[in-house]
Amino acid sequence: MDNVRAGGVDASGHPVERITAEGGEPLRCCLRDARPGEKLLLFGHQPPLPASPYREIGAVLAHAEPCAGPADVTGYPPDWRGRPQVLRAYDERGWIHDATIVHDGRHPEKVIAELLAEPDVVQIHSRNVAWGCYMFTITRPE
């Protein structure tokens, strides 16, 4: 995110969009919802995947200025509990796996554990249902 903030250009080479939060926008940088009036950047981001036909660039929102980041990266983001998300499962090649689902946001740890129990699933990307924004990646524990 720092390179996008500093350079003002996203993963596609397009200029970032500067917006003011209305409140509730999902922030990739700190894994929480924006508060009204916060200064944000909207830009194209390429989530971590091996080179594959499923590697893509999609929109994300982040604070315009550096922030402290997520309060906790070991648990599901509290602001997003109960929010429907697409949990897109990937295999080691970076191909989308059949286990991909839309989940209602309730009991996310249970759903994530079920997806990671699939032998070929090595990572999961959480994405916003309506806008498709990439939220975060969950990887299979080593």
Side-chain angles (χ1 to χ4, degrees):
M1 307 264 158
D2 289 336
N3 58 340
V4 172
R5 287 182 184 111
V9 177
D10 71 10
S12 296
H14 297 109
V16 300
E17 296 290 332
R18 295 181 180 280
I19 62 175
T20 300
E22 293 180 18
E25 295 90 338
L27 297 174
R28 169 71 188 99
C29 54
C30 53
L31 304 180
R32 68 164 176 84
D33 288 342
R35 296 178 191 100
E38 288 185 300
K39 301 300 181 194
L40 308 179
L41 299 177
L42 173 63
F43 59 95
H45 174 74
Q46 188 171 47
L49 268 183
S52 81
Y54 295 99
R55 191 170 190 184
E56 62 188 330
I57 295 172
V60 297
L61 291 155
H63 283 113
E65 298 299 323
C67 69
D72 179 18
V73 294
T74 62
Y76 199 82
D79 282 2
W80 301 341
R81 285 189 178 279
R83 178 182 289 172
Q85 294 284 302
V86 173
L87 293 178
R88 194 179 290 172
Y90 292 92
D91 66 18
E92 66 183 17
R93 302 171 298 168
W95 287 42
I96 293 176
H97 189 278
D98 292 6
T100 295
I101 62 164
V102 175
H103 99 99
D104 62 10
R106 294 181 295 158
H107 313 294
E109 292 85 358
K110 178 181 181 284
V111 176
I112 290 165
E114 289 169 359
L115 292 174
L116 290 174
E118 292 284 335
D120 294 332
V121 172
V122 298
Q123 70 175 279
I124 301 164
H125 290 183
S126 178
R127 291 181 172 266
N128 180 284
V129 171
W131 297 94
C133 296
Y134 165 77
M135 309 306 289
F136 57 89
T137 296
I138 303 154
T139 55
R140 178 183 299 281
E142 301 272 328

